[in-house]
Amino acid sequence: MLTLINTNRMVPAIGPLGLDYVAGYAKNAGLEVEVLDLCFEDDPAAAIKSYFRDRSPDLVGLSFRNADDSFWPSADWFVPGLKDTVENVRNLTDAPVVIGGIGYSIFPGQILEYTGADFGIYGDGEAATAALVRQLRGRRKFEDVPGLLWRENSEIRGNAPAWPGPVSLSTARDSIDNLRYFEQGGQCGLETKRGCNRNCIYCADPLAKGNKLRLRDPSEIADEAQSLLSQGIDVLHICDAEFNVPGSHARAVCEEFINRSLGDKIRWYAYLTPSPFDGDLARAMARAGCIGINFTGDSGCEAMLRTYRQRHGKDDLASTVKLCRENKIAVMIDLLLGGPGETPQTIAETIDFIKQIDPDCAGAPLGVRIYPRTAMESIVSNELHKGGETSIRRKYDGPIDLFKPTFYISGALGDRPAELVRDLIGGDRRFFEPALDAAEQTDEDGDAGNYNYNENLLLEEAIAAGARGAYWDILRRLRKQER
Ligand code: B12
């Protein structure tokens, strides 16, 4: 038997989509699978204890979605909690422990070493987990398990990441309590593809999912949407890095939804890059049920867009807002403030520009999480060689360690960068402002961190009262009610 444990307990609750797919695949491959979901347990350690009292699986798989909350200044790190869970499980069963999930795949070797788990699966979990169970029961040829990391003679060995393409997944979506996640989390996820072929300097997605686009058959995606709908779930979030890359696939998915009249029954949200996006795609998305788009805007300053290696320009941002408005799609522009080269002037230019193009809302978080193996890592290491740590923000002591939450905020923004951004926003309620760090905070500062979806009680309450949708859209609607 394969036991899969969801370790993510963040509030509002987001269903462990990857674990649902891994479990679905394993069941289809003839394995017996059980899921222990710690998300809704008051006492996770007790739940683990009671679970293993009368079970002895062949393999225990821990799904690890968020290594940290990627949010400055909270900088919450979840790897120590994962280590505790591995130790708890080890004390209760002899079964080997494997870790997988996107949080794991960003730091595969480091997490295996830190937690003491037996195995890790770097990349897609479906076929790899089933292959690991087979090898554990048979010849233990670990070289044959895609993406596997394991220990041999006190060293960690690893296979190439598991990024098979094209992607075909189980559409049943019945291994976790998706309806409960919908009721407590406001929406449920599904994927139309994996991987990202962009090379934005800061992003971890290509590390975890690969840089080749691996597409799913649109009819399989629509089948999955129908499975969720039959469970009473009618608000979805597409979990692709960028839904419109490639644009042809996005249109094909929309066509399939339209042909099956899903656009009348399901409402959905997605992340998109501002380019390619045109009137045809906007219309197709609206007809297919899309009611909200979160664009990776990053900046409203051309120089910063080039630094981040974005392919869009300011014009693209302006046109996305216009097209969304014409098609009655709510539009959010997500910014990334404080990157290399950011100055008070570039921030002012961005904020002014966003005010002018007038999206429904804009996320203005400050600080770039620096991931190892990204271009940001080399930029930062060059800067450090030239002296000074002024742009690095972190909450831990000792040497800089990118495994732990480490952020970049351009030193040119001074000692009180969040205050500077807030002043420029000037109370404009379309913006989700950056949270103030400890040095900037005064007793009068309100719930500024509410754009962080980690322990977001405002959202949790709204969802309990019936709100559904992407979190930015729920927060935006709450703000509208205030006015
Ligand atoms: C969509 C999305 C969201 C949506 C989710 C909507 C929904 N209903 O699902 C929203 C907006 C709510 C969201 C919120 C947050 N997100 Co988010 N999100 C994503 C995104 C784009 C997709 C996640 C996803 O579902 N992928 C699809 C699934 C199928 O993939 P998967 O989980 O990796 O699973 C596969 C493998 O990892 C593996 N696997 C999974 N489980 C297991 C288990 C075992 C045993 C094995 C062997 C393998 C395995 O197999 C699976 C199938 O192949 C990712 C980036 C990305 N491109 O993936 C970021 C991402 C996961 N999010 C991230 C973050 C930080 C957050 C927040 C913490 C942000 C915040 N501070 O508010 C919150 C956390 C919310 C929560 N409660 O957990 C980061 C995590 C980075 C990190 N440092 O750990 C990511 C990677 C984005 C990034 N690059 O920064 N997110």
Side-chain angles (χ1 to χ4, degrees), residues 103 107 223 232 298 309 312 322 346 355 395 401 438 452 460 481:
F107 307 97
D223 287 349
D298 281 5
R309 295 198 196 140
H312 62 268
K322 194 167 157 281
T346 59
K355 286 181 180 173
K395 284 178 150 176
D401 178 1
N452 189 354
E460 192 190 18
Q481 283 164 19

Side-chain angles (χ1 to χ4, degrees), residues 128-398:
T129 307
L132 178 59
V133 174
R134 278 195 295 271
Q135 289 301 338
L136 287 168
R137 287 177 181 167
R139 296 168 54 213
R140 299 178 70 89
K141 275 190 75 186
F142 296 134
E143 295 79 3
D144 289 354
V145 180
L148 190 72
L149 278 84
W150 73 100
R151 292 162 199 284
E152 206 169 276
N153 305 326
S154 66
E155 269 182 26
I156 291 183
R157 290 192 56 192
N159 298 328
W163 292 325
V167 175
S168 178
L169 305 171
S170 157
T171 58
R173 299 297 306 272
D174 57 0
S175 297
I176 59 171
D177 191 345
N178 277 301
L179 185 59
R180 185 165 182 192
Y181 276 106
F182 179 53
E183 284 161 355
Q184 295 186 24
Q187 20 90 24
C188 273
L190 93 168
E191 276 186 306
T192 84
K193 67 167 166 299
R194 289 185 179 156
C196 184
N197 61 2
R198 305 269 163 140
N199 59 352
C200 309
I201 59 166
Y202 51 81
C203 187
D205 289 4
L207 301 178
K209 307 276 172 189
N211 56 14
K212 294 218 162 53
L213 298 166
R214 301 178 286 126
L215 312 184
R216 270 183 97 184
D217 184 341
S219 72
E220 188 183 287
I221 301 159
D223 287 349
E224 186 173 329
Q226 277 174 324
S227 285
L228 290 166
L229 189 60
S230 70
Q231 296 175 39
I233 297 159
D234 60 2
V235 181
L236 305 180
H237 199 299
I238 305 276
C239 287
D240 304 4
E242 310 281 14
F243 175 68
N244 56 337
V245 181
S248 53
H249 185 61
R251 271 190 295 277
V253 173
C254 291
E255 285 308 320
E256 187 67 26
F257 276 34
I258 294 165
N259 291 342
R260 296 200 199 183
S261 305
L262 282 171
D264 308 330
K265 299 173 193 133
I266 289 174
R267 288 161 290 151
W268 53 273
Y269 294 83
Y271 290 123
L272 267 74
T273 171
S275 158
F277 187 69
D278 59 18
D280 284 347
L281 182 59
R283 275 187 294 281
M285 287 180 69
R287 285 183 60 211
C290 175
I291 55 165
I293 301 179
N294 182 342
F295 284 98
T296 312
D298 281 5
S299 179
C301 161
E302 293 289 353
M304 285 307 297
L305 287 172
R306 300 295 80 78
T307 299
Y308 287 138
R309 295 198 196 140
Q310 285 295 5
R311 298 188 195 173
H312 62 268
K314 291 170 76 166
D315 290 353
D316 297 304
L317 280 172
S319 110
T320 56
V321 173
K322 194 167 157 281
L323 288 169
C324 285
R325 293 231 180 276
E326 283 166 13
N327 288 281
K328 300 196 169 41
I329 298 174
V331 52
M332 152 100 159
I333 304 283
D334 236 333
L335 301 170
L336 189 56
L337 303 178
E342 192 91 88
T343 63
Q345 291 72 34
T346 59
I347 298 224
E349 183 182 339
T350 293
I351 307 269
D352 279 353
F353 179 70
I354 296 294
K355 286 181 180 173
Q356 192 192 315
I357 63 174
D358 189 29
D360 292 295
C361 54
L366 183 62
V368 182
R369 169 54 162 115
I370 311 162
Y371 289 109
R373 303 186 286 145
T374 59
M376 266 310 278
E377 180 181 31
S378 7
I379 293 170
V380 167
S381 103
N382 283 343
E383 279 193 18
L384 288 173
H385 274 114
K386 287 184 199 144
E389 265 195 36
T390 48
S391 300
I392 304 293
R393 302 285 164 127
R394 57 187 174 129
K395 284 178 150 176
Y396 56 88
D397 297 325

